[in-house]
Amino acid sequence: MIKTQLSRWMEWLLVLALPILLIGVNLRIVTSHWFVHWEYERPGFPADPYGLSTSERIRLATVCQDYLASNADIALLANLELPSGEPAFNERELRHMADVQDVFFALTVAGGMSGLLWLSVGAASLRSGWMKDRYLNAVLNGSLLTFGMLAAVGGFMAVSWGEFFIAFHRLFFAGDTWLFPNSDTLIRLFPIRFWIDVAIVLVALTVLEAAALGALGWAHRRRKDNANL
């Protein structure tokens, strides 16, 4: 009885963890250097109105990515310079990037813990057979939950990107600390077009992964149902 209840609770914990895992993985993907290169070199990506070249924007943007991904000290960004020799980022921008790093780290840790949960329960399932059916059911139900969340968030983004963007920043950042004039380097490196494309790629990757996992879980359920006929 206790083992049955434990496996049931574990199954739902896995279901809840799956979208967190997928988002955590894909967040790492879209904050890799390849994305910045691909984005800036795409036809139609807006040029910097203040004259930064594509190569300079890539140089600065990839260092910003390194700062987030490596949990580096803020000095990594504070020491960056524009071609004119001026500091690339002002104090307000540096404070915001420190906040972004904290949020990124928290999301990465959450994704890593979710992945560890899936791996540990999967290993136990393979080794002893405990929870095998519930594990694969969690794959299907976690995929369905992921689709539901993506439908809600993706619909919000598609209908009103501006409101979504504001709501997202108000959720994770205090006050107006995330607002900057167009002349600030962060806006010049990461215009709205950049964030729209990040969201599109993030959603697309998550949909593909959830579809593949959902198909695996559905196939297992079909085999089980057929075996019980």
Side-chain angles (χ1 to χ4, degrees), residues 43-91:
F45 187 78
D48 174 36
Y50 296 92
L52 275 179
S53 66
T54 296
S55 61
E56 277 299 316
R57 294 173 91 187
I58 289 175
R59 177 182 71 86
L60 294 170
T62 52
V63 176
C64 289
Q65 289 180 316
D66 292 339
Y67 169 73
L68 296 180
S70 64
N71 206 30
D73 187 82
I74 194 65
L76 181 66
L77 300 183
N79 293 332
L80 285 176
E81 294 183 346
L82 297 173
S84 63
E86 300 175 42
F89 303 107
N90 59 42
E91 288 299 320

Tab-separated table of all heavy atoms in Angstrom, residues 43-91:
chain	number	residue	atom	x	y	z
A	43	PRO	N	19.334	37.494	-42.376
A	43	PRO	CA	18.859	38.656	-43.137
A	43	PRO	C	17.652	39.283	-42.429
A	43	PRO	O	16.775	38.589	-41.941
A	43	PRO	CB	18.432	38.042	-44.486
A	43	PRO	CG	19.175	36.747	-44.574
A	43	PRO	CD	19.312	36.248	-43.171
A	44	GLY	N	17.651	40.587	-42.339
A	44	GLY	CA	16.526	41.272	-41.728
A	44	GLY	C	16.686	41.570	-40.259
A	44	GLY	O	15.857	42.295	-39.679
A	45	PHE	N	17.746	41.029	-39.622
A	45	PHE	CA	17.937	41.360	-38.213
A	45	PHE	C	18.337	42.832	-38.124
A	45	PHE	O	19.220	43.287	-38.850
A	45	PHE	CB	19.005	40.477	-37.575
A	45	PHE	CG	19.118	40.654	-36.087
A	45	PHE	CD1	18.189	40.070	-35.246
A	45	PHE	CD2	20.128	41.429	-35.534
A	45	PHE	CE1	18.262	40.244	-33.866
A	45	PHE	CE2	20.213	41.608	-34.160
A	45	PHE	CZ	19.280	41.012	-33.324
A	46	PRO	N	17.677	43.612	-37.241
A	46	PRO	CA	17.924	45.061	-37.220
A	46	PRO	C	19.369	45.427	-36.886
A	46	PRO	O	19.954	44.875	-35.954
A	46	PRO	CB	16.960	45.567	-36.137
A	46	PRO	CG	16.622	44.366	-35.316
A	46	PRO	CD	16.671	43.198	-36.232
A	47	ALA	N	19.911	46.330	-37.667
A	47	ALA	CA	21.268	46.828	-37.414
A	47	ALA	C	21.249	47.751	-36.201
A	47	ALA	O	20.203	48.272	-35.797
A	47	ALA	CB	21.786	47.573	-38.638
A	48	ASP	N	22.411	47.949	-35.609
A	48	ASP	CA	22.511	48.865	-34.476
A	48	ASP	C	22.400	50.301	-34.984
A	48	ASP	O	23.217	50.736	-35.805
A	48	ASP	CB	23.859	48.673	-33.769
A	48	ASP	CG	24.070	49.702	-32.666
A	48	ASP	OD1	23.075	50.061	-32.006
A	48	ASP	OD2	25.220	50.137	-32.483
A	49	PRO	N	21.416	51.065	-34.516
A	49	PRO	CA	21.250	52.444	-35.005
A	49	PRO	C	22.378	53.373	-34.605
A	49	PRO	O	22.498	54.477	-35.147
A	49	PRO	CB	19.918	52.882	-34.363
A	49	PRO	CG	19.769	52.014	-33.162
A	49	PRO	CD	20.380	50.696	-33.534
A	50	TYR	N	23.230	52.928	-33.674
A	50	TYR	CA	24.328	53.781	-33.207
A	50	TYR	C	25.677	53.334	-33.768
A	50	TYR	O	26.710	53.835	-33.352
A	50	TYR	CB	24.364	53.819	-31.686
A	50	TYR	CG	23.120	54.449	-31.093
A	50	TYR	CD1	22.033	53.653	-30.748
A	50	TYR	CD2	23.019	55.818	-30.912
A	50	TYR	CE1	20.872	54.225	-30.216
A	50	TYR	CE2	21.876	56.396	-30.382
A	50	TYR	CZ	20.806	55.583	-30.042
A	50	TYR	OH	19.658	56.157	-29.523
A	51	GLY	N	25.653	52.378	-34.699
A	51	GLY	CA	26.849	52.086	-35.465
A	51	GLY	C	27.700	50.897	-35.081
A	51	GLY	O	28.759	50.685	-35.697
A	52	LEU	N	27.316	50.094	-34.092
A	52	LEU	CA	28.107	48.905	-33.786
A	52	LEU	C	28.030	47.919	-34.947
A	52	LEU	O	26.945	47.644	-35.462
A	52	LEU	CB	27.596	48.221	-32.513
A	52	LEU	CG	28.098	48.731	-31.163
A	52	LEU	CD1	27.443	47.930	-30.045
A	52	LEU	CD2	29.613	48.636	-31.065
A	53	SER	N	29.169	47.380	-35.329
A	53	SER	CA	29.188	46.397	-36.406
A	53	SER	C	28.646	45.058	-35.902
A	53	SER	O	28.550	44.812	-34.687
A	53	SER	CB	30.612	46.209	-36.930
A	53	SER	OG	31.431	45.616	-35.925
A	54	THR	N	28.316	44.186	-36.836
A	54	THR	CA	27.823	42.859	-36.470
A	54	THR	C	28.867	42.106	-35.647
A	54	THR	O	28.543	41.459	-34.648
A	54	THR	CB	27.464	42.051	-37.726
A	54	THR	OG1	26.385	42.701	-38.409
A	54	THR	CG2	27.039	40.631	-37.366
A	55	SER	N	30.123	42.189	-36.051
A	55	SER	CA	31.177	41.473	-35.333
A	55	SER	C	31.327	41.996	-33.904
A	55	SER	O	31.562	41.228	-32.968
A	55	SER	CB	32.508	41.579	-36.077
A	55	SER	OG	32.918	42.933	-36.195
A	56	GLU	N	31.196	43.313	-33.712
A	56	GLU	CA	31.289	43.883	-32.365
A	56	GLU	C	30.103	43.466	-31.509
A	56	GLU	O	30.244	43.172	-30.316
A	56	GLU	CB	31.370	45.410	-32.443
A	56	GLU	CG	32.757	45.947	-32.704
A	56	GLU	CD	33.727	45.569	-31.596
A	56	GLU	OE1	33.363	45.680	-30.409
A	56	GLU	OE2	34.851	45.140	-31.919
A	57	ARG	N	28.937	43.455	-32.111
A	57	ARG	CA	27.747	43.029	-31.362
A	57	ARG	C	27.882	41.563	-30.944
A	57	ARG	O	27.529	41.200	-29.820
A	57	ARG	CB	26.493	43.227	-32.210
A	57	ARG	CG	26.179	44.671	-32.497
A	57	ARG	CD	25.042	44.804	-33.482
A	57	ARG	NE	23.743	44.877	-32.825
A	57	ARG	CZ	22.586	44.852	-33.476
A	57	ARG	NH1	22.578	44.718	-34.802
A	57	ARG	NH2	21.438	44.950	-32.822
A	58	ILE	N	28.382	40.736	-31.843
A	58	ILE	CA	28.572	39.319	-31.523
A	58	ILE	C	29.591	39.173	-30.395
A	58	ILE	O	29.401	38.386	-29.460
A	58	ILE	CB	29.010	38.534	-32.770
A	58	ILE	CG1	27.838	38.414	-33.756
A	58	ILE	CG2	29.531	37.145	-32.392
A	58	ILE	CD1	28.208	37.767	-35.074
A	59	ARG	N	30.672	39.937	-30.469
A	59	ARG	CA	31.708	39.864	-29.426
A	59	ARG	C	31.119	40.186	-28.059
A	59	ARG	O	31.325	39.454	-27.086
A	59	ARG	CB	32.850	40.829	-29.751
A	59	ARG	CG	33.949	40.862	-28.681
A	59	ARG	CD	35.024	41.869	-29.039
A	59	ARG	NE	34.574	43.244	-28.924
A	59	ARG	CZ	34.595	43.962	-27.803
A	59	ARG	NH1	35.031	43.422	-26.673
A	59	ARG	NH2	34.178	45.214	-27.794
A	60	LEU	N	30.377	41.274	-27.980
A	60	LEU	CA	29.811	41.697	-26.704
A	60	LEU	C	28.711	40.746	-26.226
A	60	LEU	O	28.628	40.409	-25.041
A	60	LEU	CB	29.264	43.117	-26.829
A	60	LEU	CG	30.303	44.223	-27.087
A	60	LEU	CD1	29.616	45.537	-27.429
A	60	LEU	CD2	31.211	44.404	-25.866
A	61	ALA	N	27.878	40.314	-27.152
A	61	ALA	CA	26.751	39.446	-26.776
A	61	ALA	C	27.222	38.087	-26.283
A	61	ALA	O	26.652	37.527	-25.337
A	61	ALA	CB	25.803	39.277	-27.960
A	62	THR	N	28.256	37.535	-26.906
A	62	THR	CA	28.741	36.224	-26.471
A	62	THR	C	29.406	36.303	-25.091
A	62	THR	O	29.341	35.348	-24.314
A	62	THR	CB	29.724	35.620	-27.489
A	62	THR	OG1	30.757	36.572	-27.795
A	62	THR	CG2	29.004	35.225	-28.772
A	63	VAL	N	30.022	37.432	-24.778
A	63	VAL	CA	30.564	37.593	-23.426
A	63	VAL	C	29.416	37.659	-22.415
A	63	VAL	O	29.513	37.104	-21.311
A	63	VAL	CB	31.460	38.836	-23.327
A	63	VAL	CG1	31.927	39.043	-21.881
A	63	VAL	CG2	32.670	38.717	-24.239
A	64	CYS	N	28.318	38.307	-22.778
A	64	CYS	CA	27.135	38.320	-21.905
A	64	CYS	C	26.634	36.896	-21.670
A	64	CYS	O	26.266	36.536	-20.540
A	64	CYS	CB	26.023	39.164	-22.529
A	64	CYS	SG	26.336	40.939	-22.544
A	65	GLN	N	26.637	36.083	-22.713
A	65	GLN	CA	26.224	34.691	-22.565
A	65	GLN	C	27.178	33.932	-21.646
A	65	GLN	O	26.740	33.153	-20.788
A	65	GLN	CB	26.186	34.004	-23.932
A	65	GLN	CG	25.045	34.478	-24.821
A	65	GLN	CD	25.070	33.769	-26.163
A	65	GLN	OE1	26.127	33.613	-26.766
A	65	GLN	NE2	23.912	33.335	-26.612
A	66	ASP	N	28.470	34.169	-21.812
A	66	ASP	CA	29.457	33.518	-20.951
A	66	ASP	C	29.254	33.919	-19.489
A	66	ASP	O	29.405	33.096	-18.583
A	66	ASP	CB	30.879	33.881	-21.389
A	66	ASP	CG	31.239	33.289	-22.740
A	66	ASP	OD1	30.593	32.302	-23.152
A	66	ASP	OD2	32.166	33.820	-23.381
A	67	TYR	N	28.917	35.178	-19.278
A	67	TYR	CA	28.676	35.659	-17.917
A	67	TYR	C	27.521	34.899	-17.275
A	67	TYR	O	27.597	34.481	-16.109
A	67	TYR	CB	28.374	37.162	-17.954
A	67	TYR	CG	27.863	37.708	-16.644
A	67	TYR	CD1	28.711	37.868	-15.553
A	67	TYR	CD2	26.514	38.042	-16.501
A	67	TYR	CE1	28.235	38.357	-14.345
A	67	TYR	CE2	26.031	38.535	-15.301
A	67	TYR	CZ	26.896	38.683	-14.229
A	67	TYR	OH	26.424	39.166	-13.028
A	68	LEU	N	26.446	34.690	-18.033
A	68	LEU	CA	25.293	33.970	-17.495
A	68	LEU	C	25.611	32.496	-17.269
A	68	LEU	O	25.333	31.939	-16.209
A	68	LEU	CB	24.105	34.091	-18.451
A	68	LEU	CG	23.524	35.486	-18.679
A	68	LEU	CD1	22.361	35.399	-19.651
A	68	LEU	CD2	23.076	36.112	-17.369
A	69	ALA	N	26.198	31.862	-18.279
A	69	ALA	CA	26.365	30.409	-18.251
A	69	ALA	C	27.427	29.945	-17.262
A	69	ALA	O	27.347	28.831	-16.746
A	69	ALA	CB	26.697	29.907	-19.649
A	70	SER	N	28.426	30.784	-16.997
A	70	SER	CA	29.537	30.360	-16.144
A	70	SER	C	29.420	30.866	-14.706
A	70	SER	O	30.278	30.589	-13.882
A	70	SER	CB	30.859	30.846	-16.733
A	70	SER	OG	30.913	32.266	-16.745
A	71	ASN	N	28.345	31.652	-14.429
A	71	ASN	CA	28.187	32.244	-13.097
A	71	ASN	C	29.402	33.090	-12.728
A	71	ASN	O	29.854	33.111	-11.578
A	71	ASN	CB	27.949	31.154	-12.043
A	71	ASN	CG	27.178	31.671	-10.845
A	71	ASN	OD1	26.367	32.587	-10.959
A	71	ASN	ND2	27.432	31.091	-9.680
A	72	ALA	N	29.926	33.808	-13.720
A	72	ALA	CA	31.147	34.602	-13.546
A	72	ALA	C	30.871	35.863	-12.723
A	72	ALA	O	29.724	36.253	-12.493
A	72	ALA	CB	31.713	34.989	-14.908
A	73	ASP	N	31.946	36.503	-12.300
A	73	ASP	CA	31.842	37.765	-11.583
A	73	ASP	C	31.436	38.871	-12.551
A	73	ASP	O	31.762	38.828	-13.748
A	73	ASP	CB	33.185	38.104	-10.934
A	73	ASP	CG	33.090	39.316	-10.027
A	73	ASP	OD1	32.669	39.160	-8.871
A	73	ASP	OD2	33.430	40.427	-10.492
A	74	ILE	N	30.746	39.886	-12.032
A	74	ILE	CA	30.264	40.990	-12.868
A	74	ILE	C	31.408	41.757	-13.519
A	74	ILE	O	31.214	42.461	-14.522
A	74	ILE	CB	29.387	41.950	-12.028
A	74	ILE	CG1	28.594	42.891	-12.937
A	74	ILE	CG2	30.238	42.714	-11.029
A	74	ILE	CD1	27.586	42.215	-13.800
A	75	ALA	N	32.623	41.584	-13.006
A	75	ALA	CA	33.781	42.255	-13.607
A	75	ALA	C	33.972	41.846	-15.059
A	75	ALA	O	34.527	42.612	-15.856
A	75	ALA	CB	35.044	41.935	-12.805
A	76	LEU	N	33.512	40.647	-15.423
A	76	LEU	CA	33.630	40.193	-16.809
A	76	LEU	C	32.937	41.159	-17.751
A	76	LEU	O	33.436	41.438	-18.852
A	76	LEU	CB	33.027	38.790	-16.948
A	76	LEU	CG	33.084	38.153	-18.342
A	76	LEU	CD1	34.530	37.889	-18.746
A	76	LEU	CD2	32.277	36.857	-18.370
A	77	LEU	N	31.791	41.682	-17.326
A	77	LEU	CA	31.053	42.646	-18.149
A	77	LEU	C	31.531	44.074	-17.908
A	77	LEU	O	31.576	44.886	-18.830
A	77	LEU	CB	29.555	42.553	-17.865
A	77	LEU	CG	28.876	41.217	-18.133
A	77	LEU	CD1	27.380	41.319	-17.872
A	77	LEU	CD2	29.136	40.748	-19.560
A	78	ALA	N	31.889	44.381	-16.654
A	78	ALA	CA	32.312	45.746	-16.321
A	78	ALA	C	33.580	46.144	-17.067
A	78	ALA	O	33.800	47.332	-17.343
A	78	ALA	CB	32.530	45.871	-14.811
A	79	ASN	N	34.409	45.163	-17.423
A	79	ASN	CA	35.674	45.457	-18.106
A	79	ASN	C	35.540	45.535	-19.625
A	79	ASN	O	36.517	45.859	-20.313
A	79	ASN	CB	36.706	44.389	-17.755
A	79	ASN	CG	37.119	44.441	-16.294
A	79	ASN	OD1	37.067	45.503	-15.665
A	79	ASN	ND2	37.525	43.308	-15.736
A	80	LEU	N	34.345	45.243	-20.140
A	80	LEU	CA	34.151	45.320	-21.588
A	80	LEU	C	34.115	46.780	-22.048
A	80	LEU	O	33.591	47.645	-21.350
A	80	LEU	CB	32.849	44.640	-21.986
A	80	LEU	CG	32.817	43.109	-21.976
A	80	LEU	CD1	31.409	42.618	-22.307
A	80	LEU	CD2	33.820	42.537	-22.967
A	81	GLU	N	34.653	47.002	-23.245
A	81	GLU	CA	34.661	48.353	-23.807
A	81	GLU	C	34.062	48.355	-25.199
A	81	GLU	O	34.134	47.359	-25.938
A	81	GLU	CB	36.093	48.899	-23.879
A	81	GLU	CG	36.727	49.116	-22.516
A	81	GLU	CD	38.127	49.723	-22.641
A	81	GLU	OE1	38.685	49.710	-23.775
A	81	GLU	OE2	38.661	50.201	-21.630
A	82	LEU	N	33.466	49.496	-25.553
A	82	LEU	CA	33.003	49.731	-26.910
A	82	LEU	C	34.206	50.093	-27.780
A	82	LEU	O	35.289	50.400	-27.267
A	82	LEU	CB	31.986	50.867	-26.927
A	82	LEU	CG	30.684	50.621	-26.140
A	82	LEU	CD1	29.842	51.889	-26.108
A	82	LEU	CD2	29.898	49.472	-26.769
A	83	PRO	N	34.059	50.065	-29.114
A	83	PRO	CA	35.186	50.449	-29.982
A	83	PRO	C	35.745	51.839	-29.681
A	83	PRO	O	36.926	52.106	-29.914
A	83	PRO	CB	34.564	50.398	-31.387
A	83	PRO	CG	33.468	49.395	-31.269
A	83	PRO	CD	32.907	49.575	-29.893
A	84	SER	N	34.903	52.722	-29.120
A	84	SER	CA	35.354	54.076	-28.783
A	84	SER	C	36.219	54.104	-27.526
A	84	SER	O	36.835	55.127	-27.220
A	84	SER	CB	34.126	54.975	-28.562
A	84	SER	OG	33.368	54.505	-27.451
A	85	GLY	N	36.280	53.000	-26.793
A	85	GLY	CA	37.040	52.957	-25.556
A	85	GLY	C	36.189	53.202	-24.319
A	85	GLY	O	36.678	53.060	-23.185
A	86	GLU	N	34.922	53.562	-24.506
A	86	GLU	CA	34.023	53.769	-23.367
A	86	GLU	C	33.584	52.415	-22.803
A	86	GLU	O	33.561	51.407	-23.522
A	86	GLU	CB	32.786	54.549	-23.816
A	86	GLU	CG	33.072	55.917	-24.384
A	86	GLU	CD	31.794	56.558	-24.925
A	86	GLU	OE1	30.747	56.448	-24.246
A	86	GLU	OE2	31.849	57.133	-26.013
A	87	PRO	N	33.211	52.380	-21.511
A	87	PRO	CA	32.679	51.129	-20.950
A	87	PRO	C	31.442	50.682	-21.724
A	87	PRO	O	30.594	51.510	-22.096
A	87	PRO	CB	32.326	51.507	-19.505
A	87	PRO	CG	33.191	52.690	-19.209
A	87	PRO	CD	33.329	53.451	-20.499
A	88	ALA	N	31.341	49.393	-21.984
A	88	ALA	CA	30.210	48.890	-22.766
A	88	ALA	C	28.893	49.032	-22.009
A	88	ALA	O	27.850	49.299	-22.612
A	88	ALA	CB	30.449	47.433	-23.141
A	89	PHE	N	28.940	48.860	-20.679
A	89	PHE	CA	27.717	48.863	-19.883
A	89	PHE	C	27.829	49.847	-18.724
A	89	PHE	O	28.881	49.957	-18.087
A	89	PHE	CB	27.448	47.461	-19.324
A	89	PHE	CG	27.342	46.402	-20.377
A	89	PHE	CD1	28.361	45.469	-20.559
A	89	PHE	CD2	26.228	46.340	-21.208
A	89	PHE	CE1	28.271	44.502	-21.536
A	89	PHE	CE2	26.123	45.369	-22.188
A	89	PHE	CZ	27.143	44.442	-22.355
A	90	ASN	N	26.725	50.556	-18.473
A	90	ASN	CA	26.700	51.456	-17.319
A	90	ASN	C	26.287	50.688	-16.055
A	90	ASN	O	25.978	49.493	-16.120
A	90	ASN	CB	25.774	52.660	-17.586
A	90	ASN	CG	24.339	52.231	-17.895
A	90	ASN	OD1	23.800	51.320	-17.241
A	90	ASN	ND2	23.723	52.870	-18.885
A	91	GLU	N	26.268	51.385	-14.934
A	91	GLU	CA	25.994	50.717	-13.656
A	91	GLU	C	24.602	50.092	-13.614
A	91	GLU	O	24.415	49.012	-13.050
A	91	GLU	CB	26.157	51.716	-12.501
A	91	GLU	CG	27.599	52.096	-12.209
A	91	GLU	CD	28.433	50.887	-11.807
A	91	GLU	OE1	27.921	50.017	-11.060
A	91	GLU	OE2	29.589	50.802	-12.245
